[in-house]
Amino acid sequence: MTVTAPQSPPGDHGPAAVPAAEDAPRPRVPATVRPARRSAPPAGGEAHGESRRNLSTLRASDVYALLGAVAAALAVTWLMFDRLLPFNGTLGFVVIAYALFLGLYALLVSFDEDGPAVRDRLAAVVVQSLGLVMLTALAFVVVYTLYQGRTALPHLNFYTESMADAGPLEPLGVGGVLHAIVGTLWQISLALVICIPTGLVCAVFLNEVPGPFSRFVRTIVEAMTALPSVVAGLFIYATVILGLGVDQSGIAAGLAISVMMLPIIIRASDVVIRLVPGTLREASYALGTSRWRTVWHVVLPTSRSGLTTAIILGTARGVGETSPVLLTAGFTQELNTDPLHDPMVSLPLAAFKLVESPEPTYIARGFGTAAVLLVLVLVLFVVARVIGGRGPGKLTRRQEHRRVRASRRDAQRFTARAGAGPVPVPSASPGSASTSSASPGSASPGSTSTRSTT
């Protein structure tokens, strides 16, 4: 900003006018003032603007509003059900109390916040409450299963014996579910062997080879995600068992389970591969690589964690199927380790058959079988996360060790080359061409060898 000195009046050109102009005070330029925090107000005692609120912290008023809305909703609902209106039933009580809670919570928050903040808080409460409901339902299923099977789980024979020698009246110290555990492992392993390569290749095809045929395949995959499990069992029963003459066995059950798992893995993998940034593909193509090399070295490693999640979702769908296994694997009480011949039972099918019995020991064994299934699924998920849960570009300790050793070998080779010096030029015979040679790596770009003839 340029400040000009004031001009002297016309006719006054004396020497005293110049010092007066130099001594005149210059106008002050207003400075930018940053809003101060509430904890440290400015010296004048007046705060400049409104202080920002930290959204990551929880204030006492937030807790009071939440607890007050919960208490008021429960009290008003109890008053309506017990004193004012002829209502009854647990489900109605919960629904009305939840609706009143949302209204009262929005009212209490509106005392301190404006409209957008109230809507944001209300949406956050709805999402968190729905998550709490789902977590409560999952915990109830797990706890109820473990509680009902508490009498069968402590017995060691429950995990090491089959039901071949255990009748309905036998105590829990006789018989177990070893045959069902082995059958489940065989069937889910066969299904994964079929579904993992097929599902990943199909997902890559849908993303990397667009066209009318890929759109048709995507439509079929989306339609198969809603396929009833009994239809998959009937399909394998009609084509493999009746058409090809294969016995009811573990391989037929694995095929039926793979029909259920395949669309889930394809659809989830398709969504994950779509999230890979296109700039990574463009950078790979700019280096001169082919499409499938780009997929193998760029797309799949980048989406490794998401593809593992897709496989886990498909495994969770297939490991709990009962009706396809019932139609294709048959039922047996004996241990069968050959998936190609004879019936082979799985954990869901064994639990279904055991719970159907009116005997308390069979019912306890059925809930114990379901508990074993839950633990088995948890172990499979942990193993899948350990194997494929690393992020893009993250190496294992063994891979890092190999990279370090390879780098050391390269460094030693470069050092040996640098210490070898220039390569001696062989003597040229008459009539032969002599070329000028230098040490490796010393030739500058664009240099050419000269040919001289004698």
Side-chain angles (χ1 to χ4, degrees):
M1 181 176 181
T2 305
V3 180
T4 58
Q7 300 284 338
S8 59
D12 188 5
H13 301 286
V18 176
E22 293 179 355
D23 295 340
R26 296 182 179 181
R28 297 182 60 184
V29 180
T32 303
V33 180
R34 185 180 63 181
R37 300 177 182 271
R38 287 186 179 180
S39 58
E46 297 179 0
H48 297 278
E50 185 177 352
S51 62
R52 296 180 179 179
R53 178 188 172 190
N54 189 3
L55 299 179
S56 62
T57 59
L58 187 64
R59 301 183 303 176
S61 59
D62 301 337
V63 180
Y64 297 154
L66 183 63
L67 296 180
V70 171
L74 292 177
V76 173
T77 307
W78 174 81
L79 185 63
M80 293 171 57
F81 272 68
D82 192 68
R83 301 296 179 182
L84 299 179
L85 300 175
F87 290 164
N88 55 13
T90 305
L91 181 60
F93 185 91
V94 172
V95 171
I96 294 178
Y98 183 72
L100 290 176
F101 161 71
L102 294 179
L104 293 173
Y105 182 73
L107 179 63
L108 294 177
V109 173
S110 63
F111 293 155
D112 297 331
E113 305 289 350
D114 54 357
V118 173
R119 290 190 292 270
D120 178 74
R121 293 289 212 62
L122 194 60
V125 167
V126 171
V127 172
Q128 293 173 4
S129 60
L130 292 179
L132 181 62
V133 169
M134 298 302 296
L135 182 61
T136 304
L138 177 62
F140 175 78
V141 171
V142 174
V143 172
Y144 182 78
T145 303
L146 294 176
Y147 179 78
Q148 293 294 333
R150 69 189 185 280
T151 57
L153 293 175
H155 296 276
L156 183 61
N157 60 280
F158 187 72
Y159 312 99
T160 58
E161 298 180 4
S162 65
M163 293 293 294
D165 300 329
L169 301 180
E170 295 290 341
L172 294 175
V174 179
V177 292
L178 179 62
H179 62 301
I181 296 175
V182 173
T184 297
L185 292 177
W186 266 115
Q187 293 170 14
I188 199 65
S189 299
L190 293 173
L192 288 175
V193 168
I194 297 172
C195 291
I196 290 178
T198 308
L200 296 184
V201 169
C202 184
V204 170
F205 168 76
L206 294 179
N207 283 273
E208 302 297 329
V209 189
F213 185 66
S214 63
R215 290 194 296 268
F216 173 75
V217 173
R218 180 177 281 110
T219 303
I220 297 299
V221 169
E222 292 177 353
M224 287 183 64
T225 54
L227 183 70
S229 58
V230 66
V231 176
L234 290 174
F235 171 74
I236 298 298
Y237 183 81
T239 56
V240 177
I241 297 178
L242 296 182
L244 302 179
V246 178
D247 296 334
Q248 288 184 330
S249 56
I251 184 65
L255 291 173
I257 294 175
S258 64
V259 173
M260 300 302 305
M261 293 172 52
L262 192 58
I264 304 297
I265 295 178
I266 294 175
R267 194 73 182 98
S269 302
D270 180 24
V271 174
V272 170
I273 295 176
R274 285 186 186 182
L275 298 179
V276 177
T279 53
L280 296 179
R281 295 184 176 91
E282 294 174 359
S284 178
Y285 294 148
L287 294 175
T289 58
S290 61
R291 174 184 296 176
W292 298 113
R293 193 174 182 85
T294 300
V295 170
W296 184 258
H297 292 282
V298 177
V299 176
L300 294 181
T302 304
S303 57
R304 181 193 299 116
S305 179
L307 296 177
T308 304
T309 304
I311 295 173
I312 289 175
L313 292 176
T315 305
R317 175 67 186 274
V319 76
E321 291 293 342
T322 304
S323 55
V325 179
L326 179 63
L327 293 173
T328 56
F331 185 79
T332 180
Q333 299 278 24
E334 299 179 357
L335 177 63
N336 180 19
T337 58
D338 185 7
L340 302 179
H341 304 90
D342 300 329
M344 176 179 287
V345 71
S346 63
L347 285 171
L349 182 57
F352 173 72
K353 289 292 186 178
L354 290 171
V355 172
E356 280 185 336
S357 175
E359 296 298 329
T361 55
Y362 262 36
I363 295 176
R365 288 190 181 99
F367 279 100
T369 305
V372 173
L373 177 62
L374 292 177
V375 175
L376 179 61
V377 171
L378 179 61
V379 170
L380 292 176
F381 285 0
V382 171
V383 171
R385 278 299 180 188
V386 170
I387 293 176
R390 300 189 309 272
K394 186 177 180 181
L395 304 178
T396 61
R397 296 181 64 89
R398 181 176 299 179
Q399 291 174 341
E400 291 179 356
H401 186 59
R402 288 200 298 264
R403 291 289 179 90
V404 170
R405 288 190 300 178
S407 298
R408 289 176 180 174
R409 289 195 300 267
D410 293 340
Q412 294 173 359
R413 188 171 66 253
F414 295 154
T415 303
R417 283 186 180 181
V423 180
V425 181
S427 58
S429 59
S432 63
S434 63
T435 58
S436 61
S437 58
S439 60
S442 61
S444 60
S447 62
T448 59
S449 60
T450 61
R451 180 184 296 271
S452 62
T453 60
T454 306

